């Protein structure tokens, strides 16, 4: 993993996205197309490694897009898992999606064997510390995503923010 060629993803869970869990909504489809274009442009600029925190919502959406792009680009996708069993309390369909994505990633880094109150924050810091750019899906409100962006700016990690509320239809 070369930091100068690495991008991390951070963003909201479904409850903070205009489409919630319904990714068939027109707003989500447009969002995904724009995100794919952002990723394509990053790849053209020489970015080869993408770190995903594998949370519900933006992380999994972004990682699925990257897995599709991997079919035509030489990129590496690394799942940075905050703790074993992070998905254990999600809906079964989301757990299956998570495991499907995880199995397709090039590498998996698990930061803690069990949940702790700081493991999500440690995951976010790990990703920022190993990235040149942080692509964030953030609606401007206080959240873990905001905290990650503040940390990224502290660490001179470039930030690209996509506001999901601009996709509300």
């Amino acid at each position: 993993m070369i930091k100068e060629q690495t991008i991390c993803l951070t963003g909201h869970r479904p409850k903070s996205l205009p489409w919630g869990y319904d990714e068939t909504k027109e707003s989500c489809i447009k969002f995904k197309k724009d995100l794919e274009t952002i990723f394509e442009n990053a790849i053209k600029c020489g970015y080869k490694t993408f770190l995903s925190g594998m949370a519900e919502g933006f992380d999994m959406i972004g990682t699925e897009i990257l897995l599709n792009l991997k079919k035509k680009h030489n990129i590496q996708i690394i799942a940075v898992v905050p703790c074993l069993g992070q998905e254990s309390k999600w809906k079964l369909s989301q757990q299956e999606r998570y495991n499907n994505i995880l199995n397709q990633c090039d590498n998996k880094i698990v930061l803690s064997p069990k949940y702790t109150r700081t493991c999500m924050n440690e995951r976010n810091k790990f990703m920022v510390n190993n990235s040149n750019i942080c692509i964030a899906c953030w609606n401007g409100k206080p959240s873990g995503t905001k905290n990650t962006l503040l940390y990224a700016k502290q660490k001179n990690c470039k930030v690209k923010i996509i506001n999901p509320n601009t996709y509300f239809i």
Side-chain angles (χ1 to χ4, degrees):
M1 182 169 33
I2 301 169
K3 183 175 180 172
E4 291 73 29
Q5 297 175 346
T6 302
I7 292 175
C8 67
L9 310 179
T10 188
H12 292 306
R13 308 302 178 268
K15 69 179 172 68
S16 297
L17 297 172
W19 51 84
Y21 284 94
D22 186 0
E23 293 179 25
T24 64
K25 285 188 175 176
E26 190 178 327
S27 56
C28 185
I29 292 167
K30 171 81 170 101
F31 175 83
K32 287 180 179 184
K33 285 180 185 171
D34 288 354
L35 188 56
E36 181 176 14
T37 300
I38 290 167
F39 290 154
E40 286 266 13
N41 289 336
I43 293 165
K44 287 176 188 168
C45 288
Y47 287 90
K48 301 199 177 302
T49 304
F50 294 83
L51 305 179
S52 171
M54 294 298 295
E56 283 187 294
F58 177 70
D59 292 11
M60 293 202 318
I61 289 170
T63 308
E64 286 174 330
I65 292 168
L66 287 165
L67 287 167
N68 193 43
L69 288 173
K70 188 173 172 53
K71 295 173 186 172
K72 58 183 179 178
H73 297 286
N74 183 23
I75 60 172
Q76 180 181 34
I77 303 164
I78 300 174
V80 182
V81 179
C83 61
L84 289 176
Q86 102 163 316
E87 80 290 1
S88 63
K89 294 185 179 174
W90 300 350
K91 295 183 221 171
L92 183 57
S93 61
Q94 287 293 93
Q95 289 181 36
E96 290 170 353
R97 181 181 185 187
Y98 171 88
N99 285 307
N100 182 44
I101 295 168
L102 195 59
N103 289 334
Q104 294 179 69
C105 288
D106 297 293
N107 198 358
K108 176 173 75 170
I109 299 169
V110 179
L111 298 177
S112 176
K114 63 180 183 168
Y115 176 81
T116 67
R117 61 179 185 79
T118 61
C119 69
M120 304 297 177
N121 192 41
E122 293 304 316
R123 181 244 351 250
N124 297 340
K125 286 181 176 181
F126 177 91
M127 292 194 308
V128 167
N129 290 340
N130 289 284
S131 298
N132 190 41
I133 296 178
C134 179
I135 296 178
C137 175
W138 182 50
N139 62 13
K141 295 181 180 174
S143 62
T145 302
K146 178 183 179 182
N147 295 341
T148 304
L149 291 171
L150 291 172
Y151 183 76
K153 289 178 181 177
Q154 252 182 359
K155 294 296 182 177
N156 295 315
C157 181
K158 297 177 192 101
V159 170
K160 167 71 175 158
I161 298 171
I162 308 156
N163 185 339
N165 291 339
T166 62
Y167 292 85
F168 186 71
I169 295 173

